[in-house]
Amino acid sequence: MLNTKPNWPILTVMVGISLTACKILPTKSDDGNNAATFNPDKMVEEIWAAKVVPYLQQKAGPFAQVHTLATTDPAAAGAKYGNPNKQANSPWTFAVRLEGKIIAANTQSRAATVDVDVDGDGKADARVQIGPAVRGTALRDSLDFIQFNDFTNQIDFAQFGKAFNAYADKMVLSKLPREALEGRSAKVLGAYTLGSGQDLPLVTPAEAEIGPKP
């Protein structure tokens, strides 16, 4: 019998350090001078374990609870599970914990996904990205310490969003199984954007676990 209790890793955060105090700074070049270069992959690597995962663990709510509130009162859901510092014209992005059974899998595409039944009714409630290609910028957009104004331009901001996806694939998604996924359990900590144009909410994981074959 599967243990359905969440077993997310517990990370200790030093007292006095605020998760919202992060300032995105350019990475210094390796040639010994003080010229700063923009290296989004390095920037994501430096904040992933220290800030990104702890923030999502603290902010995330159960998927069913978050999505129900998001569809009825997006602003209330955003205040509790979203990024209140988002750009005014941007949709809400929510941090969620998701656990359920995989009822369908699409692993033929590079943008592979699994559909997960959260409430046990046999129907998919969410679609989880498992890479290697990851769509959208939900991980970046869920973090209230990431501000557009911290970046030189829109191109840098977009590259930073893609760097989150690449790092999630490298550290998490690439380690997941790809065969015989239907019927297995799935457990995810991640984020999704409201109204992303998908039939199902499209969740991008920061942590993910797929159970053994039933």
Side-chain angles (χ1 to χ4, degrees):
M1 181 176 180
L2 289 173
N3 180 7
T4 59
K5 293 183 179 179
N7 59 354
W8 305 105
I10 299 175
L11 301 180
T12 302
V13 181
M14 292 178 62
V15 175
I17 297 180
S18 170
L19 293 177
T20 60
C22 175
K23 178 72 172 177
I24 303 301
L25 298 174
T27 303
K28 290 186 177 181
S29 62
D30 296 329
D31 58 8
N33 61 37
N34 292 326
T37 58
F38 179 67
N39 187 337
D41 296 322
K42 183 67 172 177
M43 291 161 65
V44 170
E45 180 181 356
E46 289 175 347
I47 65 173
W48 184 267
K51 293 185 178 295
V52 175
V53 173
Y55 176 86
L56 291 173
Q57 289 175 333
Q58 181 185 71
K59 190 77 170 181
F63 172 81
Q65 179 177 318
V66 175
H67 192 56
T68 297
L69 184 58
T71 54
T72 57
D73 191 342
K80 190 170 184 179
Y81 306 110
N83 174 8
N85 298 326
K86 73 180 184 67
Q87 293 177 274
N89 60 345
S90 298
W92 284 106
T93 300
F94 307 107
V96 293
R97 298 179 186 273
L98 180 151
E99 187 171 354
K101 179 184 288 187
I102 298 172
I103 63 171
N106 172 16
T107 56
Q108 302 304 310
S109 168
R110 278 183 50 79
T113 58
V114 293
D115 292 353
V116 181
D117 172 19
V118 174
D119 56 15
D121 66 355
K123 299 178 182 179
D125 299 295
R127 182 163 291 159
V128 177
Q129 303 200 78
I130 59 172
V134 177
R135 295 171 176 163
T137 54
L139 291 178
R140 180 201 69 188
D141 296 341
S142 67
L143 306 172
D144 68 4
F145 54 84
I146 303 297
Q147 304 293 322
F148 173 74
N149 291 335
D150 291 333
F151 294 82
T152 302
N153 52 50
Q154 180 68 43
I155 294 175
D156 284 0
F157 191 55
Q159 289 179 343
F160 192 56
K162 292 179 180 178
F164 276 95
N165 295 347
Y167 196 77
D169 179 62
K170 175 184 175 182
M171 300 302 295
V172 180
L173 306 181
S174 63
K175 298 176 173 62
L176 297 175
R178 299 280 155 165
E179 303 295 332
L181 298 179
E182 290 86 349
R184 298 195 192 195
S185 63
K187 189 180 294 185
V188 172
L189 172 70
Y192 81 97
T193 300
L194 186 65
S196 58
Q198 301 288 323
D199 294 335
L200 294 168
L202 187 65
V203 179
T204 303
E207 294 182 336
E209 176 185 326
I210 292 178
K213 297 177 184 179

